[in-house]
Amino acid sequence: MRCDRVWRNARLATLAPGRPGLGEIERGAIAALDGRIAWVGAEADAPEAAETIDCEGRWITPGLIDPHTHLVYGGDRAREFELRLAGASYEEIALAGGGIVSTMAATRAASEDDLVAQSLPRLDALIAEGLTTVEVKSGYGLSLAHELKSLRAARRLGEVRPVTIATTFLGAHALPPEFRDDADGYIDLVCREMIPAVAAEGLADAVDAFCEGIGFTPDQTRRVFEAAHAHGLPVKLHAEQLSNLHGAALAANFGALSADHLEHLDDAGIAAMAKAGTVATLLPGAYYFVRETRLPPIEALRAAGVPMALATDCNPGTSPMTSLLLVMNMAATLFRMTVDECLAGVTREAARALGRLDATGTLEAGKRCDLAVWDIDRPAELVYRIGFNPLHARVLGGQTTWTR
Ligand code: DI6
Ligand code: FE
């Protein structure tokens, strides 16, 4: 077998489905050809390659994947954070014209170049922890031109950094002030102008909406989903974050890739997600940051066999977070997820939540060779430690892009 590169003397957490636990191979090796994984298995059987990398017993996992971020935005909300600390609630701040709408103003004021520049430090923080694929939503432009600008900025991040970007159009994130008291009029704009334009330019891989009392109704969400499907785009949904509007079941009925947040999810929603194969993307950073006390129904999701992904929800209002290692720690500590579930949540299940499990998310022959090499003795260390980054090297498409 001809190979470009082989990583030897490694311990592998393959995350391959059907294998118990993390699909571990204690004395393993992995070989790449033309950017893809050509072979995975026991060290003793490893093929020869033009280049050999001795991992000195380090662990290799799939490159990490963040399947839910609002990475591209202008400005920040540190002042709002101070107000919240003084007692104001997230909903009060949103109703008073702060919140999402204040980030909208800063995003509209920024050029595409500004947005790229402001987003890069956040992306770099994720990459420094072994991330190789990240989803980025629009949703702070809230007009055709500014949504297109945000999506173009998101796509450009993948040109200026070695990373795979999945873009999501989230025009139905908040009501822009021009449409005050006319949410249906805004949804008309989203469905009749924005989605067709986004699809025509190939700027989005999926369409999302914020189905919530302070967002959009289930009827409005349904219209967005119908427009997305009419343009061949898969859907996902911010559902059941602050209240139960039965958004997860609605999303599942549209074959959604994922329903995200889910603190208020009920049994009917879980059953609908299980039936449709919709991934539950859990966002412990947002849960923590807004001091939510109602837990997502982890045990019921587990019992129903709903796949669980984890994400940062990186956004300026409810999760100013750029660490998937911290997400895993929070999911374990706050949500009582197991180490195996946490690691699967930022690799295999995150890939599934993006509809990209055929391309990435596990160490299996044929997939892109996206790897994270770690200076650890056991995988639990990635979940257990707080604020410590043991990344040794990061590999994207078979190329080492960074090494300690
Ligand atoms: N849910 C959230 O938690 C974020 N968006 C959403 O739909 C909050 C976004 C923000 O406050 O800027
Ligand atoms: Fe979000």
Side-chain angles (χ1 to χ4, degrees), residues 222-264:
R222 178 190 308 278
R223 291 175 55 208
V224 171
F225 284 177
E226 283 166 356
H229 276 190
H231 288 84
L233 291 168
V235 301
K236 57 178 79 175
L237 189 65
H238 284 71
E240 273 82 282
Q241 180 186 7
L242 306 169
S243 62
N244 182 7
L245 299 184
H246 311 289
L250 172 67
N253 289 339
F254 277 83
L257 292 168
S258 68
D260 304 31
H261 284 291
L262 303 176
E263 280 82 349
H264 293 259

Side-chain angles (χ1 to χ4, degrees), residues 65-71 126 131 133-137 166 168 170 173 208-210 236-239 241 258-262 280-283 286 309-315 318-319 321 324 327 345 350 353-354:
I65 300 172
D66 191 342
H68 179 143
T69 84
H70 310 248
L71 198 77
L126 289 166
L131 169 128
T133 299
V134 57
E135 186 251 22
V136 180
K137 301 174 196 298
T168 299
L170 177 58
H173 189 199
D208 192 352
F210 186 29
K236 57 178 79 175
L237 189 65
H238 284 71
Q241 180 186 7
S258 68
D260 304 31
H261 284 291
L262 303 176
T281 298
L282 304 168
L283 308 170
L310 292 169
T312 60
D313 195 16
C314 174
N315 79 71
T318 61
S319 191
M321 181 188 208
L324 280 174
V327 163
L354 295 178

Side-chain angles (χ1 to χ4, degrees), residues 36-388:
R36 290 180 183 281
I37 298 174
W39 181 92
V40 188
E43 164 80 28
D45 307 325
E48 293 296 313
E51 186 188 347
T52 299
I53 296 164
D54 181 358
C55 295
E56 299 171 327
R58 292 187 181 88
W59 278 91
I60 301 181
T61 67
L64 304 190
I65 300 172
D66 191 342
H68 179 143
T69 84
H70 310 248
L71 198 77
V72 168
Y73 59 82
D76 72 82
R77 303 246 286 280
R79 174 66 191 139
E80 176 181 316
F81 178 61
E82 289 183 294
L83 292 174
R84 278 189 44 219
L85 292 176
S89 74
Y90 179 64
E91 274 148 314
E92 279 163 7
I93 288 168
L95 290 170
I100 295 177
V101 169
S102 69
T103 300
M104 176 207 76
T107 301
R108 286 183 176 180
S111 67
E112 186 183 316
D113 286 349
D114 292 338
L115 286 179
V116 171
Q118 290 190 48
S119 304
L120 275 175
R122 297 188 279 270
L123 177 61
D124 286 339
L126 289 166
I127 286 175
E129 291 184 349
L131 169 128
T132 49
T133 299
V134 57
E135 186 251 22
V136 180
K137 301 174 196 298
S138 67
Y140 289 114
L142 306 179
S143 73
L144 177 60
H146 295 296
E147 286 290 298
L148 292 175
K149 174 182 71 180
S150 300
L151 290 170
R152 289 189 196 113
R155 285 266 198 250
R156 267 190 40 210
L157 292 173
E159 293 162 17
V160 296
R161 287 293 184 272
V163 69
T164 302
I165 306 278
T167 54
T168 299
F169 171 66
L170 177 58
H173 189 199
L175 198 56
E178 314 78 275
F179 283 87
R180 193 183 299 258
D181 302 323
D182 187 17
D184 284 315
Y186 180 64
I187 293 296
D188 285 343
L189 181 73
V190 166
C191 295
R192 294 181 193 159
E193 289 183 36
M194 294 193 195
I195 288 175
V198 164
E201 260 196 67
L203 280 173
D205 301 304
V207 171
D208 192 352
F210 186 29
C211 184
E212 193 56 69
I214 59 167
F216 295 93
T217 66
D219 274 346
Q220 290 160 348
T221 301
R222 178 190 308 278
R223 291 175 55 208
V224 171
F225 284 177
E226 283 166 356
H229 276 190
H231 288 84
L233 291 168
V235 301
K236 57 178 79 175
L237 189 65
H238 284 71
E240 273 82 282
Q241 180 186 7
L242 306 169
S243 62
N244 182 7
L245 299 184
H246 311 289
L250 172 67
N253 289 339
F254 277 83
L257 292 168
S258 68
D260 304 31
H261 284 291
L262 303 176
E263 280 82 349
H264 293 259
L265 180 65
D266 63 15
D267 288 345
I270 293 170
M273 289 176 70
K275 189 160 167 241
T278 296
V279 175
T281 298
L282 304 168
L283 308 170
Y287 171 93
Y288 164 85
F289 196 76
V290 303
R291 296 205 190 97
E292 176 62 65
T293 51
R294 188 182 167 113
L295 286 163
I298 303 291
E299 262 179 60
L301 286 165
R302 197 183 273 140
V306 175
M308 293 186 281
L310 292 169
T312 60
D313 195 16
C314 174
N315 79 71
T318 61
S319 191
M321 181 188 208
T322 47
S323 170
L324 280 174
L325 293 173
L326 183 54
V327 163
M328 285 195 280
N329 180 270
M330 287 182 171
T333 306
L334 302 172
F335 293 177
R336 296 175 191 274
M337 288 171 67
T338 67
V339 164
D340 291 1
E341 285 171 338
C342 289
L343 279 162
V346 297
T347 56
R348 184 183 64 225
E349 302 315 325
R352 197 192 307 275
L354 295 178
R356 295 185 179 217
L357 191 52
D358 54 342
T360 187
T362 66
L363 305 182
E364 291 179 280
K367 294 200 181 186
R368 208 166 50 226
C369 187
D370 292 350
L371 315 176
V373 186
W374 305 98
D375 260 321
I376 53 172
D377 275 324
R378 52 189 299 134
E381 280 180 63
L382 298 176
V383 181
Y384 153 75
R385 299 183 73 151
I386 302 171
F388 182 78

